[in-house]
Amino acid sequence: VMRDNGWHVLEAIGPVKVTELLRWTRQGRGNAFAVCRLKPAFQPHVPGMIAAAEKFIGLPYDIQYEMDDRKIYCSELIYKGFKAASGQRLGNTVKLGELDWKPHEQVIRTIAGDPVPLNREMITPRDLAKAEQLDTVLPLAPHAITR
């Protein structure tokens, strides 16, 4: 999003907030990130998408990855913003049990308890990035952003 004459990222990392782009790029492992852009036919939804996502500012991060509105996680923020603006899904949701969750079982059990919520529906960053409405304009890799 454009704020104060500069690019920022509307993100769910702790509370949902707006972060200056340069700072945001330095948060990731090894400065790696990807850039996806809505295809031209969907770009008219951008203002509504931003407005819808901004309604979540201040909400805490959802470590449970639930698709409710009490807490929000990163890809859920984008998914819900687009859906509110366009009425369409952005990417395909998956259930936890469809993912490679076993290597993370102890952490999941610590956070979610027993039984593991294998039927929990979620949108992952990977599934969001594969949405048919998006073009990848900068693939996942370390990038250096300067002012």
Side-chain angles (χ1 to χ4, degrees):
V1 296
M2 180 60 78
R3 296 284 187 274
D4 303 321
N5 298 318
W7 288 108
H8 292 71
V9 176
L10 180 56
E11 65 171 335
I13 187 170
V16 177
K17 63 182 182 172
V18 177
T19 303
E20 193 270 330
L21 178 63
L22 182 60
R23 181 177 181 169
W24 180 84
T25 63
R26 293 179 177 162
Q27 291 175 167
R29 261 183 255 162
N31 294 336
F33 62 92
V35 176
C36 296
R37 180 176 295 140
L38 286 169
K39 292 178 178 177
F42 301 100
Q43 288 180 9
H45 297 299
V46 170
M49 183 179 177
I50 292 169
E54 285 177 331
K55 292 179 181 177
F56 295 108
I57 287 177
L59 287 181
Y61 188 81
D62 187 359
I63 196 167
Q64 298 278 351
Y65 300 103
E66 295 174 309
M67 295 286 284
D68 60 27
D69 290 349
R70 294 174 301 171
K71 298 177 183 176
I72 302 293
Y73 62 94
C74 52
S75 47
E76 178 188 19
L77 179 66
I78 304 307
Y79 179 87
K80 286 185 172 182
F82 184 78
K83 189 163 188 180
S86 70
Q88 299 177 40
R89 299 166 69 101
L90 186 63
N92 294 315
T93 57
V94 295
K95 293 183 179 178
L96 175 60
E98 298 168 345
L99 301 172
D100 183 20
W101 64 275
K102 279 289 200 180
H104 313 283
E105 182 173 359
Q106 186 57 47
V107 173
I108 294 168
R109 285 187 190 282
T110 299
I111 294 168
D114 269 329
V116 172
L118 298 177
N119 287 323
R120 180 165 295 157
E121 183 181 15
M122 60 185 67
I123 182 74
T124 68
R126 179 173 299 154
D127 291 302
L128 187 67
K130 291 192 289 188
E132 65 184 25
Q133 300 96 329
L134 296 174
D135 284 325
T136 299
V137 295
L138 193 60
L140 183 62
H143 303 285
I145 302 290
T146 59
R147 289 188 184 260

